[in-house]
Amino acid sequence: MGKRISLTQYLIEQQRMHGHIPAQLRLLIEVVARACKRIAISVNKGALGDVLGSAGTENVQGEVQKKLDVICNEVLIEANEWGGHLAAMASEEMDGIYVVPNRFPQGEYLLLFDPLDGSSNIDVNVSIGTIFSVLKKPDDHAGVSEQDFLQPGSKQAAAGYCIYGPQTTLVLTVGDGVAMFTLDREQGSWVLTQDGVTIPEDTKEFAINMSNMRHWAPPVRRYIDECLAGKDGPRGKDFNMRWVASMVADVHRILTRGGIFMYPWDKREPDKPGKLRLMYEANPMSFIVEQAGGAATNGQQRILDIQPSKLHERVSVILGSKNEVERVTAYHREAGGA
Ligand code: AHG
Ligand code: MN
Ligand code: MN
């Protein structure tokens, strides 16, 4: 490996070249990255750090919280509230927004996060992650409210995730491509290990929870049936399947070698647009995937164009290699909705 570039150096050089990472945004990204380092340490300790198992509480979405869901949420709030870069935060694990307390200066940005993605994998020692999204607070009024967060994903100033796996990797976009940083534990620093990440346009690998097959809409069923038919089917090639059940891990694989990820609407709860959350999961991941040359839709439209109507809104997600995402989206269009 040649000269090592740290996260700080990367952010400063990007600002010098393109002017799109003002000081508050840089501080924000560095603080989130530092919080992820702390989370990585807790994740690593596992049973020794008493971080496994249930917290015995439920979040606003009725999901049982794991100890780590709660710990990671606290770590991210504590790390971010005092720096002067934020006006407020919102999290999958909190009912409403968290306004930066009056004793700290108010900043220009809004931070949204899924503090711990892949909760079902914590106790079984499989990769998990933290996902975050950054918006600018509209500057036409004083104070901050939930309404300020309800901006389409195309307005994100930055987005990223950290994956706690065999390696701890931070993946970041500020709207000018995607960069990956690997945590050097001895030095305690994030080192740039890949820049200009690109997702191949075609793939032979899909990720979907097949146990829900009987509940899917016809366009999703059609796409997967055609993949399963392999060489002898209409696609003329064999497909492989992967499902980690941590969106971060599935998306990370897609950024590394291509693929398509789907958590589509299904008829178990027809009024629910999907399982995944628009603001904490779908928007940041869609921003990253598009910045790497991939695509992301809900079957009808680009995810980043969706105008959210509430903080904890859910959405159907189809993302990854461009040509496959376009195919599934076309199947939805041909079916006239669904
Ligand atoms: P979270 O742990 O933040 O609630 O998210 C879990 C999500 C996502 O990471 C993953 O792709 C999906 O739920 C897995 O769902 P199934 O258990 O239904 O496969
Ligand atoms: Mn999640
Ligand atoms: Mn979560």
Side-chain angles (χ1 to χ4, degrees), residues 55 58 89 123 139 209 272 284 290 321:
E58 269 189 10
M89 294 176 246
D123 295 355
D139 54 13
N209 185 338
K272 212 160 99 176
E290 281 198 7
S321 291

Side-chain angles (χ1 to χ4, degrees), residues 76-77 80-81 86-91 94 96-98 111 113 149:
L76 282 157
I77 289 177
N80 277 287
E81 65 179 354
L86 288 183
M89 294 176 246
S91 158
M94 297 191 291
I97 64 166
Y98 180 92
L111 175 65
F113 45 84
F149 284 81

Side-chain angles (χ1 to χ4, degrees), residues 53-67 69-70 91-95 113-120 245 263 268-269 272 274-278 280-281 312-315:
S54 164
T57 45
E58 269 189 10
N59 66 13
V60 61
Q61 297 147 83
E63 297 160 341
V64 175
Q65 291 177 303
K66 294 282 172 61
K67 279 187 198 162
D69 290 320
V70 178
S91 158
E92 186 186 285
E93 302 301 339
M94 297 191 291
D95 299 8
F113 45 84
D114 175 356
L116 200 285
D117 176 67
S119 304
S120 73
Y263 212 120
R268 280 174 297 176
E269 287 180 80
K272 212 160 99 176
K275 174 180 180 180
L276 299 178
R277 276 105 342 182
L278 176 62
Y280 318 112
E281 294 169 320
H312 298 296
E313 186 164 328
R314 307 220 186 207
V315 66

Side-chain angles (χ1 to χ4, degrees), residues 91-293:
S91 158
E92 186 186 285
E93 302 301 339
M94 297 191 291
D95 299 8
I97 64 166
Y98 180 92
V99 179
V100 166
N102 282 335
R103 62 182 186 280
F104 301 121
Q106 295 270 322
E108 292 173 17
Y109 291 96
L110 305 172
L111 175 65
L112 301 95
F113 45 84
D114 175 356
L116 200 285
D117 176 67
S119 304
S120 73
N121 282 324
I122 300 169
D123 295 355
V124 293
N125 203 354
V126 170
S127 296
I128 50 182
T130 298
I131 310 172
F132 67 96
S133 159
V134 182
L135 292 166
K136 194 98 189 272
K137 185 184 103 65
D139 54 13
D140 54 356
H141 59 273
V144 59
S145 71
E146 189 166 317
Q147 190 61 35
D148 295 328
F149 284 81
L150 304 182
Q151 306 180 39
S154 56
K155 294 269 175 66
Q156 288 169 105
Y161 67 81
C162 180
I163 177 167
Y164 314 108
Q167 303 113 43
T168 298
T169 308
L170 182 75
V171 176
L172 176 72
T173 184
V174 286
D176 186 26
V178 177
M180 292 189 185
F181 303 84
T182 305
L183 180 61
D184 179 332
R185 283 177 188 273
E186 282 82 57
Q187 308 256 348
S189 62
W190 295 102
V191 181
L192 180 69
T193 40
Q194 211 187 329
D195 202 359
V197 176
T198 27
I199 301 175
E201 289 190 353
D202 294 295
T203 182
K204 290 168 144 190
E205 203 160 64
F206 65 86
I208 192 164
N209 185 338
M210 292 287 288
S211 68
N212 298 325
M213 189 172 211
R214 69 193 183 284
H215 307 299
W216 295 338
V220 175
R221 184 93 197 215
R222 173 182 170 194
Y223 176 77
I224 297 296
D225 280 347
E226 290 180 1
C227 292
L228 295 177
K231 258 204 193 82
D232 308 324
R235 303 298 309 276
K237 57 183 183 182
D238 289 335
F239 279 77
N240 186 24
M241 194 204 85
R242 286 287 185 276
W243 184 249
V244 183
S246 292
M247 190 192 198
V248 274
D250 282 311
V251 169
H252 198 68
R253 184 187 59 256
I254 288 170
L255 283 172
T256 308
R257 67 175 188 216
I260 180 168
F261 169 94
M262 288 186 272
Y263 212 120
W265 170 91
D266 70 45
K267 53 181 196 279
R268 280 174 297 176
E269 287 180 80
D271 296 335
K272 212 160 99 176
K275 174 180 180 180
L276 299 178
R277 276 105 342 182
L278 176 62
M279 311 287 282
Y280 318 112
E281 294 169 320
N283 272 343
M285 289 312 202
S286 299
F287 190 22
I288 294 167
V289 163
E290 281 198 7
Q291 284 294 315

Side-chain angles (χ1 to χ4, degrees), residues 268-338:
R268 280 174 297 176
E269 287 180 80
D271 296 335
K272 212 160 99 176
K275 174 180 180 180
L276 299 178
R277 276 105 342 182
L278 176 62
M279 311 287 282
Y280 318 112
E281 294 169 320
N283 272 343
M285 289 312 202
S286 299
F287 190 22
I288 294 167
V289 163
E290 281 198 7
Q291 284 294 315
T297 78
N298 65 354
Q300 326 296 328
Q301 64 176 138
R302 188 178 168 229
I303 285 178
L304 295 182
D305 286 338
I306 297 174
Q307 170 61 52
S309 55
K310 56 180 191 211
L311 208 50
H312 298 296
E313 186 164 328
R314 307 220 186 207
V315 66
S316 178
V317 175
I318 300 158
L319 59 75
S321 291
K322 202 171 187 165
N323 291 338
E324 294 301 305
V325 173
E326 278 171 7
R327 178 181 284 269
V328 184
T329 308
Y331 287 1
H332 280 78
R333 222 172 288 131
E334 283 168 34

